[in-house]
Amino acid sequence: MKVYVIRHGESENNLAKKWTGWADVHITEKGVENAKKAGAIIKDIPFDKIFTSDLIRTIETALSAIPGCCYETSELVREVDVGNIANTPIASFTDEQKKARAEKGYAAFGGESKEEFRSRIKLFMNKLEKSDYETVAVFSHGGWLCEMLNLVTDTQISREHLCCNNCTVAIFEYINHTWKLHSWINLT
């Protein structure tokens, strides 16, 4: 099975440089253009199933990338819940908050712990493993995509050390009970 994971296009909060998490914000005009570029990469792929996060920015991205597509929303492919820092400027994040996040994940702010987030992604991956899909698209989020990469490669690459632009297209394969990273395509 090949699984194409597409990060959403630029959102209003990406543009404003705010934490987003589960905040439901729209994509910008640039986000629509991002999605169309991603759509050009995947346009000839006959997907057996298309999943999106249930947050509007991923749905808008899917519909801009693949106009008129049929999709199923899933809370399992939502971004990490950042708790009460959602919609606050990233630049206002203090050293104390950075330390708390390093120790407890976003549970320090009433959101998800790293373990809870990883468990949710693993649950989705297990669902795919049990399916008979050959080709799947998943419209999701940057944190979700980076954490899936960590699970597949059995690493802990920090988001700060990985280029994951809006509408990055990552292709994973599940073959012989093993997940593999096939490709990582960053859009500018």
Side-chain angles (χ1 to χ4, degrees):
M1 165 182 14
K2 278 194 177 172
V3 180
Y4 292 72
V5 181
I6 302 99
R7 182 182 177 198
H8 63 79
E10 179 188 70
S11 72
E12 294 166 342
N13 275 12
N14 293 145
L15 181 62
K17 298 188 182 341
K18 292 181 177 182
W19 292 100
T20 308
W22 288 5
D24 211 9
V25 297
H26 294 276
I27 60 174
T28 63
E29 295 269 335
K30 182 178 177 184
V32 171
E33 292 306 312
N34 297 148
K36 288 178 181 177
K37 288 179 184 177
I41 293 170
I42 61 175
K43 69 181 168 114
D44 296 324
I45 299 167
F47 292 110
D48 298 316
K49 187 74 172 183
I50 299 173
F51 292 96
T52 70
S53 158
D54 60 339
L55 298 173
I56 192 66
R57 59 193 181 271
T58 59
I59 295 168
E60 290 173 342
T61 301
L63 292 172
S64 296
I66 309 171
C69 70
C70 294
Y71 59 88
E72 178 181 324
T73 61
S74 174
E75 291 180 3
L76 295 177
V77 298
R78 266 188 183 191
E79 181 61 285
V80 64
D81 179 5
V82 299
N84 60 24
I85 63 170
N87 292 316
T88 64
I90 293 170
S92 69
F93 211 53
T94 66
D95 288 340
E96 184 177 299
Q97 287 174 310
K98 289 175 188 174
K99 183 179 177 187
R101 181 182 69 172
E103 292 172 2
K104 298 180 183 176
Y106 293 102
F109 313 105
E112 284 180 296
S113 69
K114 186 160 190 118
E115 294 76 25
E116 290 169 325
F117 187 43
R118 287 175 71 92
S119 292
R120 184 160 52 83
I121 297 167
K122 283 181 189 177
L123 185 62
F124 183 75
M125 291 169 68
N126 290 339
K127 180 179 175 178
L128 290 178
E129 290 168 12
K130 294 173 185 170
S131 76
D132 59 357
Y133 304 132
E134 291 183 26
T135 312
V136 176
V138 180
F139 288 86
S140 190
H141 307 269
W144 197 94
L145 173 54
C146 293
E147 197 56 41
M148 182 174 176
L149 174 68
N150 284 334
L151 287 165
V152 167
T153 60
D154 196 24
T155 58
Q156 274 309 138
I157 302 170
S158 166
R159 181 90 184 267
E160 290 80 30
H161 300 285
L162 183 63
C163 187
C164 182
N165 298 335
N166 290 109
C167 284
T168 288
V169 178
I171 306 167
F172 297 95
E173 290 181 318
Y174 183 68
I175 301 171
N176 298 324
H177 307 286
T178 303
W179 283 97
K180 299 176 183 186
L181 173 65
H182 177 279
S183 303
W184 189 273
I185 307 164
N186 267 307
L187 301 177
T188 56

